[in-house]
Amino acid sequence: MSKLLFFLPEQASSVAGPVDLFFFFMVAVSVFFSALIAVLLVFFAIRYHQSGAATAPAAGVVVGPEPEHAHAQGAMLLEIVWTVIPLGLVLVMFAWSTSLYFTLVRPPADAVAMYAVGKQWMWKFQHPEGQREINELHVPLGQAVKLTMSSEDVIHSFFVPAFRVKQDVVPGRYTQVWFRPTRVGRYHLFCAEYCGTQHSGMIGWVEVMKPEDYQAWLSGAAGGAPRQTLAQAGEQLFTERACVTCHPESGEGRGPSLGGLPGAAVTLEGGGTVVADDGYLRESILNPAAKIVAGFQPLMPTFQGQLSEEQLVQLLAYIKSLGVKPAAEAPAPPATKD
Amino acid sequence: MQTSHAMAEVPGPAPQALDYLNADYGIRSWLFTIDHKRIAILYLLMITIMFVVGGVFAAAVRLELLTPQGDAFEADTYNKLFTMHGIVMIFFFLIPSIPAVLGNFCLPLMIGARDLAFPRINLLSWYVYMVGAVFGTFAIVAGGVDTGWTFYTPYSTTASQTNVIPAVLAGFIVGFSTILTGLNFIVTVHKMRAPGMTWFRMPLFVWAIYATSLIQMLATPVLAITLLLLVLERGLHIGIFDPALGGDPVLFQHMFWFYSHPAVYIMILPSMGVVSEIVTCFSRKQIFGYTFVAFSSLGIAVIGFLVWGHHLFVSGQSAYAGMLFSLLSFLVAIPSAIKVFNWTATLYKGKISWDTPMLYVFGFIGLFTIGGLTGLFLAALGLDVHLTDTYFVVAHFHYIMVGGAIMGYLGGLHYWWPKITGRLYPEFWAKIAAVNIFIGFNLTFFPQFLLGYLGMPRRYHAYPEEFQVLNVLSTGGAPVLGVGYLLPMVYLIWSMRYGPRASANPWRATGLEWTTPSPPTTHNFEEVPVVTQDAYDYPAMEKKVA
Ligand code: HEM
Ligand SMILES: [Cu+2]
Ligand SMILES: [Cu+2]
């Protein structure tokens, strides 16, 4: 199809087909209405053409059959018709495109988590297995991928036309995008939100690989497997930055145990609960005073400015790896570095 | 206002009666005038200059995009070019264009008033515009600004190294000019209508300007606040939008679009008003569905305030907010569709002549239809994700703002030109220009829809090679369009001196402005007219002829 329609980017994700289908529906409706208006305009303009009708001196103008004052009832009917039909059509568009949108923004349960950081002017990616890449992201065919993204400076936007997905990357918070690649190949990755001098240079590739090739790539076909997984790197940070002194897995530190936290509902000091999503975890680390966990003192220091976006992501990965039941988990020996 | 009698007594050998143009001479008579018609001319002069400046920036942008590599300009220069193109065209040309020129000139004439309600404030608003223009010029001369016309934070407050503050102040100041003009128009429409000029006898152009003025008064202050907060953060590091200072960057986008979406209607509604005037005159018919066309302007003005979030579908706003904004955006398209249908129906069984203003109206209807329909693509959440921030958006808003709004402006300028200058423009050249603009416009902007769907992001200095063919087509159309715009500048100026003199009513149009001489006298009407007919009573006029 993309060979025939030169304006159609490759369809390389599970949503590309449905998005294109809706696009063609929109094109069809638009062509119909544009053609309708154009044909009427041209037809009327020619059929009722009377050169000089507006400019010719008053005398001698031939007056055709008197243009009737539009018959009031007929006119009303027309007004209703051309209000109601477009209204019905846009409601169909709304329903269709909104359901499409919810598919686009809701990652499926089997999605694997990967992380992206945008900065002027490059993309940095981290895989759960610990691989890091710049301006290039390798992903396995058929596997849904959920990217959690943040920015080190200004707003960027992650855009892969072949996947039909786009999401702004906003400093100070996490945003998410997901896709399921359906075709092996290399696809453009663009920054779509203007971000300064090299905005148009902030481009890269998403490389979709067969699962076995991806495994090979992961295990170092391209230059050696990393020493640590993302969670292990986070664990090391957790010790180095002394988080562990207040958040020991036993649950008997000055801070709450973090096992089983992600996704759980946290009761806050002074009432109210909050779901511990990525945004909450981020805030708890960078701005701990914002929300205090019930039963604890506000004595956690802020780590604002002391952790890079990538390190934050590592900590998050580690906290997530702590699983659901902290007490049952065997305490992992702390990494041997001070 | 009392002086109209005095004027008639002025003795003189000149065979020609005094009018607002020859009533007084010299630069001071222009710079200190409080005549709405002269102020309109002052605006016309300024916005024409701005249009040329903005056009030069646009030409440079298209030149750079001829090749995939960023070779014509440095990346920073390119970024400044598209930014200044946007700022100049939107804030200094398009927003003031029809209201401040044609509205200023025609609105009092059309409702049978001798001037606007506050003539001095009218002059003041031109000076405020000029102060804004000085700041804008300073921003350009001092090295330019590179944030995009949207000034998104935190780029504009922390990262950009360019003259953001002068440029923002330029927009801030020129906004007050808009507010003053809007205020003046609203009071004028409420208070200064001639006897018998009831609300529903008002020409639709007056309705459109009235709706526009409401938006200007209500929305522009929000822009002012937003821009001021931006200056505070950039200048004094008060954290409002920058997360590093505890602010929220997306808040800026909400505030900016709360103004700027309504602002897109500030740009198009007046044009729609012009179309209603012209389409009736050149088909010799009453407008089809007067009340529907009038109320659709108000409908657009009201709903237009509630759709700003459609610019933030991928910026991290909640999915449910997105849903609501999407639904409302779909609804705002309905009044626009109603207008298009009513204009088309007006042609039915008319006596249609193809004079230049009408050619622009044909162009307007066609291009606005495409612009509006592609707006629906963008209002659709699931599709906008792919399209936003690509050339598809660029094409969409150029179809509406250039294909629609500027076509309407040029149509109106030709339509009222005999009234404004007392001269006829050369019809032959005018037709050539209108067709030229239509062709050049489509050559330039249609390929951008395709580029957008292919995935080319906007504001790109360099681009991958697969986008080149379409970019070459687009750049190829630009000079054609440019020639189209140059032609009227040449022959209209020529006609001011050499054009045949126009009669009071060269188009045999209804409307009070045509009952005054061309050009009108300083005080418009010797006697305050009394209105006894509905607007656009062309059928009665045609009957009289027979
Ligand atoms: C017919 C109804 C319209 C609808 C449903 C509509 C819809 C939209 C939507 C959803 C966007 C956001 C696209 C995006 O950024 O992803 C947009 C952008 C835009 N529209 Fe429209 N639009 C309509 C009419 C207009 C009119 C009348 C104008 C101007 C006269 C206009 C000018 C613009 C501009 C300037 C932008 C882009 C601003 C920017 O990001 O720089 N639109 N439109
Ligand atoms: Cu960018
Ligand atoms: Cu909008």
Side-chain angles (χ1 to χ4, degrees), chain B residues 46-64 73 78 80-94 140 398 402 406 444-445 474-475 477-486 489:
Chain B
M46 281 315 298
I47 69 160
T48 308
I49 294 173
M50 290 299 175
F51 184 64
V52 172
V53 173
V56 170
F57 290 139
V61 166
R62 283 308 332 162
L63 179 68
E64 172 62 75
F73 303 99
Y78 177 81
K80 290 174 184 173
L81 286 170
F82 73 68
T83 300
M84 294 183 298
H85 164 68
I87 293 177
V88 169
M89 285 301 200
I90 290 189
F91 293 114
F92 289 95
F93 170 72
L94 203 50
I140 294 174
H398 281 87
V402 181
I406 299 187
T444 311
F445 290 103
S474 179
T475 297
V480 181
L481 185 58
V483 168
Y485 287 134
L486 275 179
M489 283 183 214

Side-chain angles (χ1 to χ4, degrees), chain A residues 9 20 30 45 48-50 53-54 58 69 79 97 106 166-168 173 188 191-194 197 199-200, chain B residues 76 79 146 248 286 314 320 342 349-352 354 377 382 385-386 388-389 453 459-460 462 466 507-508 545:
Chain A
D20 288 347
S30 302
Y48 303 116
H49 180 214
Q50 197 165 315
H69 281 270
E79 298 284 356
S97 68
R106 289 208 177 126
K166 184 184 292 115
Q167 173 62 51
D168 283 5
R173 68 174 69 164
H188 271 304
C191 174
E193 183 64 59
Y194 175 67
T197 310
H199 167 55
S200 67
Chain B
D76 282 325
N79 296 343
D146 76 342
D248 179 355
Q286 204 133 27
V314 302
Y320 295 100
N342 278 293
K349 283 194 176 175
K351 284 185 250 165
I352 299 169
W354 300 343
F377 287 59
V385 167
H386 178 59
T388 185
D389 276 320
Y453 203 76
R459 299 176 173 176
Y460 260 33
E466 65 258 34
W507 308 121
R508 300 198 307 118
V545 170

